[in-house]
Amino acid sequence: MNTISYSTRLHIWLQRLVRWEFWPWRIVYLPVAVYWFFLAIKARGWVFFSASNPCMRFGGLVGYSKSEVDKLIPEAYRPKTVFKETTDSFSDVRSELARIDLSYPLIVKPDQGERGRGVVIIETVSDLESVLSKTNERMLVQEYASLPMELGVMYSRHPKEEVGRITSIVIKDFPKVIGDGESTLQQLILKEHRARLSYEVHLKKFGKRLFSIQKKDEEIQLVTIGNHMRGTTFFNGNHLISTELETVFDNLAKQIHGFHIGRFDLKTDSIEELLKGNFVVIELNGVNSEPCHIFHPGRSIFLAWRDLFKHWKRIADISIANHKKGVEYASYSEIRAEIKRHKAELRQSD
């Protein structure tokens, strides 16, 4: 169901075409792939990155368990979570939710997933049952952290370094529109220069509601999941990097044995609270994570490539150092088989 005119669709397509942040990731990463080839030669291992984070399978690129990583995060920083095994019934999940006093809303995500796949915010018991009944995957059912600020903090520490560093901070902005009592939700979205670029995402989410007139002054949150692919805007927050903040994340990361590089996706009340260490880590990613400040609207792709090259050199340096300390590289056949399996799962979930 797509009722917008051809000219509007063409205009949106052209707008996305001149904004590299909306390009397919395979195109964006083409120069990085060439650089990776040289890093692999230097490291003497085609999948050198697999030694970057010994606590994550393949360093956290693919096929690693979010639930196992979640358990490594100090309890003070992580949301309450129920891990639904494939053999668990819905009544088992409800009993566990009651035992740890976990109330709605909740957020549900696959144990193995990326780029927002399968992540859903749940408001009611019936919604939870409906979502869980449609999948045979291991799932995480988590407390929804309703804090106002969501950020992604890229941290790394070389094995020879005493102190780690923050190399990227992204501030996530969730687009919304305000009803005027006359326009449909579709019209409101198409009027917003940023929201219209993710029209297909909003079409899939809102369905028939797109064609209903929204009440005057009603605020409609278009995106609730902090994922760029779903329409969240990523702003460069690198101005927030400071020695004080690096100390906060260094103290946290050192409590996660075998973790050297990755991104903490978190929620907090304010920057002041973040500096005090008052935040909730909603997800910890390994080498599959990006320094997401590169997606700041209007930022040059050449600057993005520069930062991605620096990022992958950091991964290589850490991986080589870990390998010298005895951490084995995974084989190319292992990673290829895992990627193939992962792609098959993605096709099944579409």
Side-chain angles (χ1 to χ4, degrees), residues 90-184:
F90 182 64
S91 62
D92 292 332
V93 175
R94 288 194 66 181
S95 297
E96 188 62 15
L97 291 174
R99 187 187 70 80
I100 65 172
D101 193 26
L102 195 52
S103 57
Y104 295 85
L106 303 169
I107 189 162
V108 176
K109 63 181 76 170
D111 188 43
Q112 295 185 16
E114 59 182 19
R115 298 182 181 271
R117 179 186 73 87
V119 180
V120 185
I121 294 177
I122 301 296
E123 300 285 349
T124 65
V125 175
S126 58
D127 288 343
L128 179 61
E129 185 173 19
S130 175
V131 168
L132 294 182
S133 66
K134 295 176 182 177
T135 179
N136 292 320
E137 293 184 74
R138 192 170 194 248
M139 304 292 286
L140 280 70
V141 182
Q142 287 185 329
E143 172 185 15
Y144 179 70
S146 56
L147 298 169
M149 290 191 71
E150 184 167 335
L151 303 95
V153 178
M154 180 66 71
Y155 166 91
S156 65
R157 184 175 63 83
H158 191 281
K160 291 184 178 180
E161 293 175 346
E162 290 297 322
V163 179
R165 68 179 78 160
I166 294 173
T167 56
S168 170
I169 296 180
V170 62
I171 302 170
K172 301 180 182 183
D173 181 67
F174 299 87
K176 60 186 177 183
V177 293
I178 307 296
D180 58 10
E182 299 177 357
S183 304
T184 64

Side-chain angles (χ1 to χ4, degrees), residues 179-325:
D180 58 10
E182 299 177 357
S183 304
T184 64
L185 179 55
Q186 181 190 61
Q187 291 170 330
L188 293 171
I189 290 172
L190 293 176
K191 286 178 186 176
E192 290 291 328
H193 76 282
R194 182 76 189 181
R196 73 199 315 266
L197 299 179
S198 301
Y199 177 76
E200 294 295 333
V201 174
H202 305 317
L203 174 65
K204 185 176 180 180
K205 176 180 178 179
F206 290 102
K208 293 181 179 180
R209 187 185 172 186
L210 279 179
F211 312 108
S212 61
I213 294 175
Q214 304 303 297
K215 297 177 183 178
K216 185 173 175 59
D217 298 325
E218 179 185 5
E219 182 178 290
I220 302 96
Q221 190 82 44
L222 300 179
V223 180
T224 52
I225 303 295
N227 184 275
H228 188 260
M229 302 293 288
R230 293 197 179 191
T232 302
T233 304
F234 284 2
F235 290 111
N236 185 352
N238 285 353
H239 60 280
L240 299 174
I241 298 175
S242 66
T243 302
E244 184 181 3
L245 191 60
E246 286 182 322
T247 299
V248 170
F249 281 90
D250 197 48
N251 291 337
L252 167 57
K254 285 177 178 176
Q255 296 179 64
I256 305 172
H257 182 69
F259 174 71
H260 288 275
I261 185 165
R263 193 183 66 236
F264 292 93
D265 289 330
L266 60 90
K267 285 191 174 184
T268 187
D269 268 317
S270 64
I271 299 302
E272 291 73 25
E273 291 301 308
L274 180 69
L275 288 168
K276 295 176 184 177
N278 295 328
F279 55 85
V280 176
V281 177
I282 54 180
E283 193 162 291
L284 175 60
N285 298 283
V287 292
N288 65 333
S289 56
E290 301 160 310
C292 286
H293 73 276
I294 65 174
F295 294 110
H296 184 96
R299 186 176 173 85
S300 165
I301 192 169
F302 296 103
L303 290 177
W305 282 333
R306 181 201 66 184
D307 292 343
L308 286 171
F309 284 4
K310 287 181 179 179
H311 177 64
W312 274 94
K313 183 180 185 302
R314 183 73 168 165
I315 291 174
D317 289 344
I318 289 171
S319 300
I320 291 170
N322 279 336
H323 184 60
K324 288 179 179 178
K325 294 175 67 175

Side-chain angles (χ1 to χ4, degrees), residues 117 340-350:
R117 179 186 73 87
K340 185 177 180 180
R341 184 194 66 79
H342 184 62
K343 285 182 177 179
E345 285 185 351
L346 290 178
R347 286 194 295 270
Q348 290 177 0
S349 64
D350 288 342

Side-chain angles (χ1 to χ4, degrees), residues 47 49 58 61-63 332-347:
V47 288
F49 51 81
F58 301 124
L61 180 77
V62 68
Y332 177 74
S333 59
E334 282 182 290
I335 194 74
R336 184 178 180 182
E338 184 58 42
I339 291 174
K340 185 177 180 180
R341 184 194 66 79
H342 184 62
K343 285 182 177 179
E345 285 185 351
L346 290 178
R347 286 194 295 270

